Amino acid sequence: MLFVQKGEQFDFGSIKLNQLSIPVMFKYAIFSPVSLTAGPIFDFELNDAMDLGEKYASLKDQIKAKAFELAAGIGVALDLPFGLCADGQIEQGVRR
């Protein structure tokens, strides 16, 4: 379970989003210590904040974060000594 903060800063304002992300990653050992990881990622919106300035204030009603998003993730994991693990992955949202 991960707490994720996403956002973007623009010349005219900013967008900030807090999410609870629950990855369910399956691990397949290629060879020791390298593994492939893949699986679904469930993202739940906790809150969002938009400051779009006066010029783009009317867009605030049109831009809405989804309360729930489903994504697919794939990555590579490296098992290190002392029970540590380094992991890198990419995530792609699933659209209807």
Side-chain angles (χ1 to χ4, degrees):
M1 192 178 320
L2 304 168
F3 176 73
V4 180
Q5 292 184 310
K6 298 178 182 179
E8 187 66 40
Q9 187 74 30
F10 304 102
D11 292 338
F12 54 84
S14 65
I15 297 174
K16 295 178 184 173
L17 175 67
N18 293 327
Q19 291 180 322
L20 180 65
S21 183
I22 303 173
V24 182
M25 304 302 282
F26 299 95
K27 190 173 180 180
Y28 178 75
I30 301 174
F31 56 88
S32 184
V34 177
S35 303
L36 287 178
T37 59
I41 301 170
F42 305 96
D43 292 328
F44 299 92
E45 177 190 348
L46 300 177
N47 63 8
D48 61 2
M50 285 185 250
D51 175 20
L52 301 178
E54 292 179 22
K55 184 175 180 182
Y56 297 100
S58 62
L59 294 177
K60 189 171 184 176
D61 294 332
Q62 297 174 20
I63 302 172
K64 299 239 185 228
K66 294 181 181 177
F68 170 77
E69 290 183 353
L70 176 64
I74 188 167
V76 177
L78 178 64
D79 294 323
L80 301 171
F82 308 111
L84 298 176
C85 178
D87 186 344
Q89 66 181 356
I90 58 172
E91 178 181 328
Q92 178 62 47
V94 179
R95 301 192 189 272
R96 302 188 247 173

